Amino acid sequence: MDSKVCKKDPLQAVVLTDDFTTSMTPLQKLYPSILMPVISRPLLDYMMETLERSKVEEIFLYCSSHVDSLKEYVEHAKKKFHRIAISLIVSDDCRCLGDALRDIYGKGCLRGNFILLRGNAFTNTNLRNLFDLHRSKTEKDKGAVMTMVLRNVGPTKNTLLDEETTLVVSNKTDDRILHYEKLKNHEKKVKMKISWFLNHDEVQVSTSFLDTHVYMCSPSVLSLFADNFDFQTMDDFIRGVVSDDVLDSSIYYEELNPEDYALAIPSWKIYHLLTKNVMGSYVFPNVKIEDNCTVTNSILFPNCVVRNDSKIDECILCPEIEVEANSKYADAFVESPGELSTTLSGLNGKEGFYYFKSNVGVESDDSSTESSSTECCNPVDDTNMFLSEVIDSLLRGYQDKLKCEHLILEINSSRYAYNVSVREVTYNVVKGILLLPLHYLAEINEPVSNKSYQKHLKAVISYFKPIIRNYVKNTDAQDDCLHAIEDVASTTDETLPCTLFLLHDFYDCDILSEEKILEWYESEVEDLDVRRKKVRDAVKSFAIWLREAEEDSSDNGDS
């Protein structure tokens, strides 16, 4: 008797090594952007790890430029990621994403639903789970061609992501996308179709979604590209599908789990943000810096050598560059030794090359060393910048009456951007809230006085109570909260009279516990300076009341 074995199709993924929209000139002309280093490893390495962890079995790397570099990478990757079958598809005449997908369709290498990643994507999420969610959508809706993975980054005004978010209008019931549009700079008016609201019970309109460049695709995605040559970019495809009833197709989205991370890297400034998010500084191995060299605010690619007594400042050195001894390079893109093909300051006009903002360098004055990096972040500066970002976010949120959950997302994004610890976040959020009335009074041109500060402080505390609760969740966070109150009250005359109100309010709302308040109040009293003793004096009556209440409770328990 013959037995038939039904074998499931392997989970396949397509990685477009050329994104076709990335603008990282002049480097991308000489080096594949997908191999750009992110904390000592190529970007593609992170993508491969995510795919392997997601149990993807077969990967097609589609390549139309820098073929030799990618072939070399694939040879090493096959040994490193041995559980995945890796194939390189090479094309010489591909000029856009649409051309790439039409070419893949013609080769017939995909056998079912697949995962599509554009070459500038970075994510650590479980793609298998997202893939399964897409399959369940296709079972309910035969016209479901794609599920986009979107990340909610909250309000992005005055942040590096300001120009990256999109307007997404969706059916809130099933997350089907009704309209998708990349907003132009400072665009304030958007046309809405009344049919969106008439034909659906609930419609969600959001401008806080970020396209992660990760897509769960049905096979019909490829055929739609093949049939419609006006689909050149992914944006063309999305707009075409959601706005054309004739195609009888639909696109859905899945929101990225807040605990996961994803960021597409279309430009140098977002590359800067990614590297700071991942670690807060840029590193790459196999860079040799010899004696008495100074390298500041620069990017050195693999196998670069900087010889003795050289100075490098605000430069990019391409792979294999050897800088001769006693050389001085500044504001330069170094393509070959001794030749400065481009000044980096010219890339971003008066502001200079964005990547090197707010960074400091390291010096080498010891014996020849193998260096992984030439850029580090100043933790003090980063913490101060984080506090400034928090105050800006809170001020805008208070003025525009933004939801606290959106502000929490924005604060968390700033936390990753400036690489601050969880405890520093709690401390600076509380500190920012206490300082906010001063900034608000300055904004509305109202004189600062104890009365005006107290009035607005109470309103601010009430409005941002959900944010305070979000960050002050455990005993360590309570310590940080109390230290923030003490630091602000001891240095700000307007806050000192409000200290009693703050402790009493936070105690009544179960933000601060009786034990923590008393522990703080009774700690290191003799070593306190005059200002901090005044803070203790301001809350003395409350501390005595807490202590007596604790003793009464203890006595009642014993009786």
Side-chain angles (χ1 to χ4, degrees):
M1 180 177 173
D2 294 334
S3 61
K4 294 183 179 180
V5 179
C6 181
K7 187 177 180 181
K8 291 177 65 176
D9 289 335
L11 177 54
Q12 297 176 302
V14 173
V15 178
L16 303 178
T17 62
D18 302 290
D19 182 64
F20 305 104
T21 61
T22 299
S23 178
M24 299 185 75
T25 55
L27 186 67
Q28 68 186 42
K29 296 179 181 178
L30 302 166
Y31 197 73
S33 58
I34 199 170
L35 297 184
M36 287 283 287
V38 179
I39 314 305
S40 82
R41 300 173 61 195
L43 173 62
L44 183 52
D45 254 16
Y46 293 93
M47 194 182 295
M48 295 294 293
E49 274 194 359
T50 296
L51 291 166
E52 185 178 52
R53 194 169 57 249
S54 302
K55 303 294 191 296
V56 173
E57 299 159 82
E58 193 171 4
I59 297 175
F60 296 95
L61 297 177
Y62 189 89
C63 170
S64 59
S65 63
H66 306 296
V67 176
D68 291 339
S69 296
L70 286 159
K71 281 183 177 179
E72 184 179 348
Y73 175 86
V74 169
E75 289 303 313
H76 293 291
K78 285 181 177 179
K79 300 174 184 176
K80 186 175 182 179
F81 304 101
H82 54 84
R83 289 193 291 270
I84 306 178
I86 306 173
S87 303
L88 186 66
I89 301 175
V90 178
S91 172
D92 295 328
D93 56 356
C94 179
R95 295 294 177 266
C96 64
L97 180 143
D99 289 347
L101 294 182
R102 282 185 278 271
D103 188 25
I104 292 171
Y105 176 73
K107 295 183 184 304
C109 52
L110 297 174
R111 296 186 285 279
N113 294 321
F114 63 97
I115 300 171
L116 174 64
L117 300 100
R118 289 160 66 177
N120 59 6
F122 181 101
T123 184
N124 63 358
T125 193
N126 189 324
L127 299 176
R128 167 73 72 166
N129 292 344
L130 294 168
F131 183 80
D132 291 341
L133 289 170
H134 170 70
R135 276 200 310 193
S136 67
K137 286 183 172 64
T138 61
E139 292 171 0
K140 297 176 184 177
D141 178 4
K142 299 303 180 184
V145 297
M146 188 167 77
T147 300
M148 302 178 67
V149 181
L150 302 179
R151 176 185 166 198
N152 191 333
V153 293
T156 58
K157 186 178 179 182
N158 299 324
T159 70
L160 295 180
L161 297 175
D162 195 10
E163 300 175 7
E164 304 303 327
T165 52
T166 54
L167 170 68
V168 178
V169 182
S170 60
N171 179 4
K172 195 171 183 180
T173 305
D174 58 7
D175 295 331
R176 177 179 176 177
I177 295 177
L178 307 176
H179 180 73
Y180 179 90
E181 180 181 355
K182 188 75 175 286
L183 296 178
K184 297 177 182 177
N185 291 345
H186 310 299
E187 189 171 5
K188 295 183 178 180
K189 293 184 179 180
V190 178
K191 291 183 179 180
M192 298 280 184
K193 290 185 179 180
I194 193 170
S195 59
W196 299 339
F197 303 92
L198 294 176
N199 297 336
H200 303 89
D201 294 333
E202 286 188 90
V203 173
Q204 176 175 281
V205 180
S206 175
T207 58
S208 60
F209 280 132
L210 197 68
D211 182 1
T212 64
H213 291 188
V214 178
Y215 314 96
M216 307 297 129
C217 300
S218 302
S220 51
V221 166
L222 298 178
S223 58
L224 284 169
F225 269 98
D227 294 339
N228 296 272
F229 280 83
D230 53 336
F231 291 165
Q232 299 294 309
T233 67
M234 184 57 76
D235 286 354
D236 290 341
F237 174 75
I238 297 167
R239 287 195 301 268
V241 170
V242 301
S243 63
D244 194 339
D245 295 333
V246 177
L247 294 177
D248 195 26
S249 300
S250 51
I251 295 177
Y252 294 82
Y253 80 87
E254 280 294 333
E255 185 174 337
L256 189 74
N257 189 319
E259 296 178 356
D260 293 336
Y261 182 85
L263 187 67
I265 313 168
S267 63
W268 280 110
K269 69 175 183 178
I270 304 302
Y271 175 61
H272 169 83
L273 176 62
L274 174 67
T275 54
K276 293 199 73 174
N277 281 355
V278 175
M279 185 175 173
S281 62
Y282 180 95
V283 289
F284 203 92
N286 305 321
V287 173
K288 186 175 183 180
I289 301 177
E290 294 188 348
D291 296 352
N292 301 318
C293 293
T294 301
V295 182
T296 53
N297 300 331
S298 298
I299 300 174
L300 277 63
F301 277 78
N303 303 320
C304 287
V305 179
V306 181
R307 297 297 182 191
N308 297 319
D309 303 304
S310 294
K311 293 184 178 181
I312 310 293
D313 181 47
E314 293 196 0
C315 293
I316 293 179
L317 273 60
C318 288
E320 312 290 342
I321 293 296
E322 181 173 333
V323 176
E324 296 296 330
N326 298 301
S327 297
K328 292 184 179 180
Y329 289 158
D331 184 27
F333 174 78
V334 185
E335 180 179 345
S336 59
E339 180 180 339
L340 311 183
S341 58
T342 307
T343 59
L344 293 180
S345 58
L347 296 177
N348 274 37
K350 295 180 180 179
E351 295 185 359
F353 190 57
Y354 197 95
Y355 185 82
F356 300 128
K357 298 297 181 185
S358 302
N359 294 305
V360 296
V362 294
E363 294 191 2
S364 169
D365 53 11
D366 299 323
S367 58
S368 178
T369 59
E370 292 289 329
S371 170
S372 294
S373 171
T374 58
E375 180 186 66
C376 304
C377 285
N378 186 325
V380 176
D381 288 345
D382 275 0
T383 303
N384 291 336
M385 290 175 67
F386 172 72
L387 174 60
S388 178
E389 289 276 354
V390 168
I391 292 173
D392 287 345
S393 297
L394 294 173
L395 181 60
R396 187 176 69 258
Y398 187 63
Q399 290 174 317
D400 298 343
K401 302 304 176 188
L402 301 178
K403 291 184 178 180
C404 286
E405 53 263 37
H406 292 164
L407 293 173
I408 289 169
L409 286 171
E410 188 171 337
I411 290 169
N412 289 342
S413 296
S414 297
R415 172 202 166 189
Y416 292 117
Y418 293 104
N419 194 35
V420 296
S421 67
V422 174
R423 299 197 63 173
E424 287 175 318
V425 173
T426 304
Y427 172 86
N428 283 288
V429 166
V430 175
K431 186 175 182 179
I433 289 173
L434 299 183
L435 294 173
L436 191 63
L438 300 176
H439 292 268
Y440 181 70
L441 289 168
E443 192 78 11
I444 62 176
N445 295 318
E446 184 177 326
V448 176
S449 65
N450 287 355
K451 184 177 180 180
S452 62
Y453 174 85
Q454 184 174 3
K455 171 188 171 184
H456 289 292
L457 177 66
K458 289 182 177 180
V460 164
I461 292 293
S462 175
Y463 189 81
F464 291 126
K465 195 67 67 69
I467 293 180
I468 298 171
R469 290 184 185 279
N470 180 75
Y471 290 106
V472 186
K473 292 180 177 179
N474 53 42
T475 54
D476 285 343
Q478 290 185 52
D479 286 335
D480 299 328
C481 177
L482 286 163
H483 289 148
I485 293 172
E486 181 178 27
D487 287 349
V488 176
S490 64
T491 56
T492 310
D493 293 337
E494 293 80 12
T495 308
L496 182 60
C498 300
T499 312
L500 179 59
F501 155 74
L502 289 169
L503 293 192
H504 209 303
D505 183 64
F506 286 7
Y507 172 74
D508 289 342
C509 295
D510 293 325
I511 293 172
L512 294 176
S513 68
E514 172 185 320
E515 294 78 14
K516 276 297 172 184
I517 294 173
L518 290 174
E519 179 185 316
W520 162 79
Y521 177 78
E522 295 168 354
S523 64
E524 302 178 2
V525 177
E526 294 181 359
D527 298 331
L528 296 175
D529 58 33
V530 175
R531 297 283 300 179
R532 293 181 185 275
K533 285 182 179 179
K534 286 185 177 180
V535 177
R536 296 296 203 287
D537 291 341
V539 299
K540 183 177 180 180
S541 60
F542 182 58
I544 292 173
W545 178 80
L546 285 178
R547 175 59 67 198
E548 290 175 349
E550 183 182 50
E551 291 172 354
D552 290 344
S553 176
S554 177
D555 291 341
N556 292 334
D558 294 337
S559 60

